[in-house]
Amino acid sequence: MSSSLRSSGSGDVSTAIGADVLSITELREISDVPSQLRMRQWVSIALSVFVIIAAFCTYQSYRFVANTVGKDTVPSIIAAEQIRSGLANAHTQIANLFLLKEEIDGPSGRAYVAAINQAHDDLLSASQNITFGDEERKPILSAMKQLSEYERLVGMAMVSKYPHDLILKADGLMREHLLPSVTGLDQVNFKHLTESYTNELETARRYFIGFLLLSVLLVIVMLETQVKLYREFKRILNPAMLLGLTVFLASTFLMMVQINKLTSELRTAKADAFDSVHALSLAQAIAYSANAQESIFLLMNNKEIQTQQTTLFMGQANQIFTSKMGAASALIANPKDLKGRGFLGDELANITFPGEHQAAADSLKAWVDYVAIDTQIRHLENTGQHDRAVALCIGKLENQSDWAFDRFISALNKTIKINQTAFDEAISKAMAILKTMSFLLVFLFFAPLAGTVIGIQQRLVEFRE
């Protein structure tokens, strides 16, 4: 009897102790809830900060690429080629002036003065728009000094009874020093453009990948916190956290869309449009130089010098188009076969925009005509028909040299304009996309931050109550 009571009493005590232990465990678990929620709150805050840092770095990298392409380098590159074309044109005009024995106030003289004055203005503008320090400053200063020396030689030739040697010196200065200095300005900016487009775009992609990974982690934490709140407070949804998560997911998706569009616009601007603008601008500058060599050829009466001028002309002509001239029309029908055949060949092999093929084909046809006429000029000169050669060289009537050259420049400018317009539109769209991205940054930061802080804080207040 007593043994039975003891046994029964012992069981009651064990049950009571078990009940006390369970209640203590539950109390501990309940008391841990606020600290667990606060921990999740701080993790979410930290991840929100990391997400916005990655998003901002992505935005800044893409903005740097857009500014470098659209503002810092391309205008300087185009300006350099325009200066180069203008200087080569001035050189042609002064050669024509001596060929025709004009006065300085004649048509060629006026064109020469206008071209030289424009070159001075353009070089001054370039000196006031330096982005890359001495890399740009040095070629600009060199070009300015060499231009002054060139004008001095031309001025001396104007008053000399034997101007040919002075013109030949001016020609050497123009070809070997002045034009290369301006080309150096182009090369500096093109180098930075290429480096920025390649390297910074890759950096932007890495930041973007980091942004996506952090965003996924933040979403996981917010969803896990939502589950935790449901378990502890028996509510399916936390409105503040749900709203914050929804806005964050939408903003992340829009960010992905905007970056995809931005990458496409930058590719259109740089690879499709500007690379063509640059190649065609180079072709234009080289064509003006070749046109000058044609006039210098006729101005010289030394056969050895004339042979050198012919070699210079053909070297420049081959940079523009290297195929046999008679095959040009047939090759236009298969533009891919023109790849590697000079600037015009590369352009026709890389047609992107409406109207571009016809303009580029017209440019090539006009250049073929111009080179064919040049061959006639040299034949006339070499067979003692100097006056006829000069008339063919400076003539603007149909099937004369300047007529063909002007048609070439007109068609080439049309091709450049098509690509330049596409470039400007792409850059304008890129800047608009960047503006949209800057607004998205606000939502990417505050949506998860506010949703998490407010949502958890509301539950903590209920817990205290």
Side-chain angles (χ1 to χ4, degrees):
M1 183 74 174
S2 61
S3 175
S4 174
L5 285 173
R6 280 196 303 270
S7 176
S8 175
S10 175
D12 290 342
V13 171
S14 297
T15 300
I17 292 172
D20 290 341
V21 170
L22 181 61
S23 61
I24 291 171
T25 302
E26 289 176 344
L27 286 173
R28 285 178 178 174
E29 289 179 355
I30 293 172
S31 64
D32 283 344
V33 170
S35 61
Q36 292 174 8
L37 292 179
R38 289 191 185 95
M39 179 190 70
R40 287 169 172 77
Q41 190 177 56
W42 283 111
V43 169
S44 296
I45 291 171
L47 283 173
S48 297
V49 172
F50 288 134
V51 164
I52 195 59
I53 290 173
F56 182 74
C57 288
T58 302
Y59 164 78
Q60 282 290 81
S61 294
Y62 277 110
R63 190 168 73 92
F64 180 81
V65 174
N67 283 331
T68 301
V69 173
K71 297 179 181 179
D72 295 337
T73 57
V74 166
S76 295
I77 293 169
I78 294 172
E81 292 309 320
Q82 288 175 341
I83 294 170
R84 192 175 166 193
S85 295
L87 289 171
N89 183 41
H91 195 44
T92 301
Q93 297 303 327
I94 205 63
N96 289 343
L97 181 146
F98 282 99
L99 272 177
L100 299 173
K101 298 180 172 59
E102 290 181 0
E103 297 296 328
I104 190 63
D105 58 351
S108 298
R110 290 196 300 271
Y112 163 77
V113 171
I116 287 295
N117 288 339
Q118 186 63 52
H120 278 293
D121 290 344
D122 291 341
L123 285 170
L124 182 60
S125 296
S127 69
Q128 295 171 339
N129 189 33
I130 290 174
T131 306
F132 304 112
D134 284 345
E135 287 184 273
E136 286 183 282
R137 191 175 292 109
K138 287 180 179 179
I140 291 173
L141 290 175
S142 294
M144 286 179 169
K145 291 176 182 177
Q146 290 152 4
L147 181 54
S148 297
E149 177 62 13
Y150 174 82
E151 290 180 84
R152 187 184 71 83
L153 290 171
V154 169
M156 291 171 62
M158 293 291 298
V159 298
S160 175
K161 292 182 179 180
Y162 307 100
H164 289 188
D165 288 345
L166 290 167
I167 290 298
L168 197 60
K169 286 183 180 179
D171 178 61
L173 178 63
M174 176 66 74
R175 287 186 292 101
E176 297 171 10
H177 300 285
L178 181 50
L179 294 180
S181 290
V182 179
T183 302
L185 181 61
D186 173 323
Q187 291 172 344
V188 166
N189 283 276
F190 193 75
K191 180 191 75 171
H192 283 280
L193 170 61
T194 303
E195 289 177 353
S196 171
Y197 182 78
T198 303
N199 299 335
E200 198 65 29
L201 208 56
E202 181 59 30
T203 300
R205 290 192 188 101
R206 290 174 182 171
Y207 279 130
F208 182 55
I209 292 171
F211 160 73
L212 291 179
L213 292 175
L214 288 167
S215 296
V216 170
L217 189 57
L218 177 57
V219 169
I220 291 172
V221 171
M222 292 181 74
L223 288 173
E224 193 277 336
T225 303
Q226 186 80 278
V227 171
K228 176 70 175 177
L229 290 172
Y230 168 71
R231 284 205 312 264
E232 299 298 338
F233 295 91
K234 306 305 180 187
R235 296 180 184 178
I236 297 176
L237 297 174
N238 183 296
M241 289 196 69
L242 178 62
L243 179 61
L245 181 58
T246 302
V247 172
F248 178 72
L249 288 172
S251 299
T252 301
F253 175 75
L254 289 174
M255 192 75 164
M256 293 170 62
V257 171
Q258 296 302 314
I259 286 177
N260 185 58
K261 290 167 60 178
L262 179 58
T263 303
S264 177
E265 295 299 341
L266 289 174
R267 182 170 54 251
T268 298
K270 168 61 174 67
D272 296 336
F274 178 69
D275 282 357
S276 291
V277 170
H278 186 229
L280 294 171
S281 297
L282 282 169
Q284 185 180 67
I286 292 169
Y288 273 110
S289 294
N291 196 38
Q293 302 313 137
E294 185 179 81
S295 295
I296 296 293
F297 166 82
L298 292 175
L299 192 58
M300 298 297 133
N301 48 25
N302 182 294
K303 291 298 180 182
E304 184 179 347
I305 294 175
Q306 285 187 329
T307 299
Q308 292 173 354
Q309 292 296 318
T310 299
T311 301
L312 288 169
F313 175 89
M314 292 311 301
Q316 292 166 333
N318 286 334
Q319 291 183 62
I320 296 173
F321 187 66
T322 60
S323 178
K324 292 181 180 179
M325 294 303 142
S329 297
L331 286 169
I332 289 173
N334 300 292
K336 295 300 180 184
D337 294 338
L338 291 168
K339 184 69 175 176
R341 296 178 182 270
F343 291 119
L344 292 182
D346 289 344
E347 166 62 14
L348 277 162
N350 187 35
I351 298 298
T352 309
F353 309 109
E356 186 181 4
H357 180 270
Q358 187 59 54
D362 290 344
S363 300
L364 180 55
K365 290 174 182 176
W367 182 251
V368 167
D369 290 339
Y370 172 74
V371 174
I373 293 169
D374 176 82
T375 302
Q376 297 174 36
I377 291 170
R378 294 177 196 277
H379 174 73
L380 290 171
E381 177 67 14
N382 291 332
T383 56
Q385 303 177 70
H386 178 75
D387 290 343
R388 289 184 62 190
V390 170
L392 186 59
C393 173
I394 63 172
K396 292 185 178 292
L397 297 178
E398 187 173 353
N399 295 323
Q400 291 183 319
S401 183
D402 280 358
W403 166 83
F405 188 79
D406 290 344
R407 285 175 65 239
F408 165 71
I409 292 298
S410 177
L412 192 67
N413 282 333
K414 184 177 180 180
T415 315
I416 291 173
K417 185 177 180 181
I418 289 170
N419 284 277
Q420 183 66 50
T421 300
F423 172 84
D424 292 338
E425 289 176 354
I427 290 297
S428 178
K429 289 178 182 178
M431 293 303 178
I433 291 169
L434 284 166
K435 188 174 182 180
T436 301
M437 287 172 62
S438 69
F439 288 116
L440 287 175
L441 291 176
V442 177
F443 292 102
L444 286 169
F445 179 58
F446 286 107
L449 187 67
T452 302
V453 171
I454 294 172
I456 292 179
Q457 199 63 36
Q458 288 175 340
R459 300 291 84 85
L460 290 174
V461 169
E462 289 181 10
F463 192 90
R464 286 195 294 271
E465 291 174 353

